[in-house]
Amino acid sequence: MKRGLTPFNITALVFGFSFLYVPILLLIIYSFNESRLVTVWAGFSTKWYAEALSNEALMGAAWVTARVAFISACVATVLGTCAALALVRFTRFRGRFLFSGMIYAPLVMPEVITGLSLLLLFVAVGMDRGITTVILAHITFSMCFVAVVVQSRLLSIDPSMEEAAQDLGATPARAFFSVTLPIIAPAVAAGWMLAFTLSLDDLVIAQFNSGPGATTLPMKIFSQVRLGVTPEINAVCTLLVGVVTAGVIIASLTMKRQEVKRQRDLATSAA
């Protein structure tokens, strides 16, 4: 039986969305505040955006964050996709249970434990902390999210499609890139966006594994917030929210366009 929205459901939805998005909305509104006091509205102004963009320390941290997020997301997407393929296509091999457990462990591991363990590893191998260690740390905890997303898509694919391509003379690599990869491309793109967003947002793991010249934007914001929240911080956070929102919208539109194209191609081939 089809059930409509009840007053209880409407109340729960309003409360849930308000709890999630009202703080973000207030942050965006007060980023246009004329006053330096973030709790006192003194008029509309965009001067804090100009000051934030002219702040070399903040912009340097933003550039470091963008580089770390892009590189770690790309590497984590490749490694996570390979791990998902291994878990789905090779259902029986020695050490599979241990391998799957190691893939899923960062999902439930506290970030403090992950950051500290990686710090001890880098110290043990004599690696100086910097951008490289932050990138490696972000790859470690974000590739598991990519693996989960891609694995769920691979489980819904009929393996006979790739086998048919190999029967027609395609090598396993070409069958994967020509048949399987286009099908799982939306999941791969979603995994990349998830890894990119997690890297942009990370504070704890980066705090443990960063060094001189590797201060990320969340670390910079956290250090300044301890001295008091300013509209300049609100402006930077608003810009970050805008970048993430634009990326999600672009990725959603791209995946929707690819899905429509795939459905059109299937309809054309069936006709």
Side-chain angles (χ1 to χ4, degrees), residues 111-135:
E111 289 189 347
V112 174
I113 303 300
T114 303
L116 180 58
S117 60
L118 289 170
L119 172 62
L120 295 176
L121 173 64
F122 295 141
V123 172
V125 300
M127 182 178 292
D128 295 331
R129 288 186 296 167
I131 294 181
T132 303
T133 55
V134 176
I135 292 174

Side-chain angles (χ1 to χ4, degrees), residues 29-32 61 89 145 153 157 162 167 217 225 235 257:
I29 292 175
Y30 278 100
S31 68
F32 296 98
R89 297 298 171 83
F145 292 92
R153 184 68 181 97
I157 297 178
E162 194 169 321
D167 291 339
L217 188 58
V225 164
R257 184 177 301 176

Side-chain angles (χ1 to χ4, degrees), residues 138-204:
H138 283 190
I139 292 172
T140 302
F141 83 87
S142 61
M143 65 171 289
C144 60
F145 292 92
V146 179
V148 171
V149 173
V150 177
Q151 183 184 8
S152 63
R153 184 68 181 97
L154 284 171
L155 289 172
S156 63
I157 297 178
D158 187 0
S160 62
M161 298 174 62
E162 194 169 321
E163 294 172 358
Q166 296 182 30
D167 291 339
L168 294 174
T171 61
R174 182 170 183 182
F176 170 76
F177 285 105
S178 301
V179 178
T180 305
L181 186 58
I183 297 176
I184 67 172
V188 174
W192 188 92
M193 285 296 302
L194 182 58
F196 185 81
T197 304
L198 289 171
S199 179
L200 283 179
D201 179 66
D202 176 68
L203 171 65
V204 177

Side-chain angles (χ1 to χ4, degrees), residues 10-32:
I10 295 175
T11 304
L13 285 174
V14 171
F15 179 78
F17 281 111
S18 299
F19 181 80
L20 290 173
Y21 294 109
V22 166
I24 299 177
L25 182 61
L26 290 176
L27 181 146
I28 294 173
I29 292 175
Y30 278 100
S31 68
F32 296 98

